[in-house]
Amino acid sequence: MSILVVGSVAYDTVETPFGTAERVLGGSASFFSVAASFFVPVRLVAVVGEDFGEEQLAAFKDRPIDLEGLERTKGKTFHWGGKYSLDLNSRETLFTDLNVFEFFKPKIPAAYRTSEAVFLGNIDPVLQRQVLEQVEKPQLVACDTMNFWIDGQPDELRETLRQVQILLINDAEARELSGEWNLVKAARAVRKMGPRTLVVKKGEHGVLMFTDEGCFAAPAYPLETVFDPTGAGDTFAGGFLGYLASAGEQGDAALRRAIVVGSTLASFCCEAFSLDRLLTLTRREIDERYREFQDLTRFESL
Ligand code: AMP
């Protein structure tokens, strides 16, 4: 199975208590693609400007990431700036220079139309639907969104959610989308909107997944040094969907393994700026940390 991803490829300028990274590679589709490429071939649909360099492109080379859908147009690449609090638990967006992303109309190359899995990154829900319309019968459709679209385009978002099987959002977004403060109630309401599987990300407090079978909880890996959490959510999604697409089945047991694979990849993402840690990561390191997750959550019957 190969995954088509649509989202942002960006330059990020990030300030953390440990330092600043200027104009480094970022964007939801970048983190997603590299994480998913450990498991399945990825087809990347995004836009960059004339200033996007070979050095940044190198991140995608030598991996099964197809770049035919990465459009390059006149103008500057999307540039996002964020600053983290001392405990890294909250962040402030300093600027969002949309640049070429403002006029982004995803064009799906003919070779991508038979993609079996699709990840709709956090973009306008109307564009998310246009992507789906250009793909023939995908077996697996997962989606991300954010407060900006929940508040700004609620009807369009609802229409998109009707066509999605798996929604990955954070706890604040689940509350906002459902109008319910309690996450169990929020999940019930969101699942009625379309996605049979809802994954609620809670940062350093881990993940909750709601399916027809019930609820599954996984902690975040207890990292000794969290350096930069930017992209952790997208990296989680890439590991989760990449593993799921490679598993060849989407039952509850596979979904649970995918949650832990996503958490594993996200923990590595936080160890360095940008995609730096993901780019040196090996399959063996992923497997080792996955096993540590098993130990972390194993307990006996009373
Ligand atoms: P995350 O930390 O998982 O929320 O993802 C952060 C990444 O999302 C950064 O690399 C940004 O470049 C990208 N990003 C920030 N704001 C937006 C936006 N409005 N649309 C698309 N991508 C964005």
Side-chain angles (χ1 to χ4, degrees):
M1 238 194 222
S2 54
I3 300 185
L4 185 160
V5 53
V6 58
S8 57
V9 169
Y11 279 125
D12 285 351
T13 292
V14 181
E15 285 179 45
T16 76
F18 311 108
T20 300
E22 278 199 43
R23 289 176 63 81
V24 290
L25 178 63
S28 58
S30 306
F31 287 103
F32 181 96
S33 299
V34 171
S37 72
F38 283 98
F39 305 97
V40 281
V42 179
R43 294 156 168 182
L44 175 58
V45 177
V47 65
V48 292
E50 297 153 311
D51 57 347
F52 197 73
E54 282 302 313
E55 194 192 322
Q56 279 73 35
L57 271 181
F60 305 121
K61 299 262 167 74
D62 303 324
R63 291 166 195 277
I65 301 177
D66 190 299
L67 300 178
E68 191 190 339
L70 181 64
E71 198 187 330
R72 187 188 282 270
T73 63
K74 258 189 151 195
K76 286 185 176 170
T77 301
F78 174 57
H79 187 191
W80 175 80
K83 182 179 176 175
Y84 285 86
S85 61
L86 274 179
D87 64 4
L88 292 166
N89 276 331
S90 57
R91 84 172 170 216
E92 185 192 345
T93 290
L94 297 178
F95 57 85
T96 303
D97 295 340
L98 289 174
N99 301 329
V100 293
F101 202 49
E102 188 174 354
F103 307 105
F104 179 45
K105 290 265 174 299
K107 287 182 225 50
I108 309 299
Y112 290 12
R113 300 217 166 130
T114 51
S115 302
E116 294 97 344
V118 176
F119 181 68
L120 304 169
N122 171 25
I123 57 172
D124 185 330
V126 176
L127 296 184
Q128 289 179 323
R129 243 171 19 248
Q130 286 173 5
V131 170
L132 279 186
E133 279 156 16
Q134 295 176 65
V135 184
E136 299 162 14
K137 293 198 214 80
Q139 293 168 33
L140 198 54
V141 178
C143 173
D144 182 13
T145 191
M146 69 186 286
N147 293 0
F148 184 74
W149 307 116
I150 296 172
D151 297 339
Q153 300 257 48
D155 296 336
E156 296 293 353
L157 180 60
R158 293 284 183 116
E159 190 53 42
T160 298
L161 290 181
R162 274 194 265 281
Q163 302 175 38
V164 164
Q165 288 148 357
I166 306 175
L167 177 65
L168 301 109
I169 48 181
N170 68 33
D171 44 355
E173 290 156 356
R175 292 186 168 112
E176 192 149 350
L177 179 59
S178 62
E180 293 279 3
W181 186 86
N182 178 282
L183 283 181
V184 179
K185 287 184 180 151
R188 189 176 302 130
V190 170
R191 293 182 65 237
K192 280 195 184 132
M193 296 174 193
R196 296 311 300 158
T197 299
L198 172 67
V199 178
V200 180
K201 298 168 288 175
K202 302 194 300 162
E204 68 164 342
H205 302 296
V207 189
L208 287 176
M209 174 173 67
F210 298 88
T211 67
D212 288 340
E213 310 283 324
C215 180
F216 174 66
Y221 183 78
L223 269 184
E224 200 168 325
T225 44
V226 177
F227 194 79
D228 173 16
T230 305
D234 308 305
T235 302
F236 174 92
F240 173 85
L241 204 65
Y243 172 75
L244 202 58
S246 74
E249 46 141 347
Q250 282 116 51
D252 204 56
L255 282 165
R256 286 173 179 234
R257 292 194 300 271
I259 289 283
V260 179
V261 172
S263 305
T264 300
L265 270 291
S267 71
F268 283 114
C269 171
C270 297
E271 290 182 358
F273 277 128
S274 180
L275 282 85
D276 291 358
R277 183 64 181 97
L278 295 180
L279 295 178
T280 61
L281 189 60
T282 63
R283 181 59 202 246
R284 177 186 277 210
E285 287 173 314
I286 296 173
D287 292 345
E288 264 170 31
R289 192 164 286 182
Y290 184 93
R291 275 195 295 277
E292 286 185 54
F293 260 101
Q294 285 184 303
D295 285 341
L296 187 65
T297 51
R298 191 180 49 233
F299 48 85
E300 293 170 358
S301 307
L302 282 179

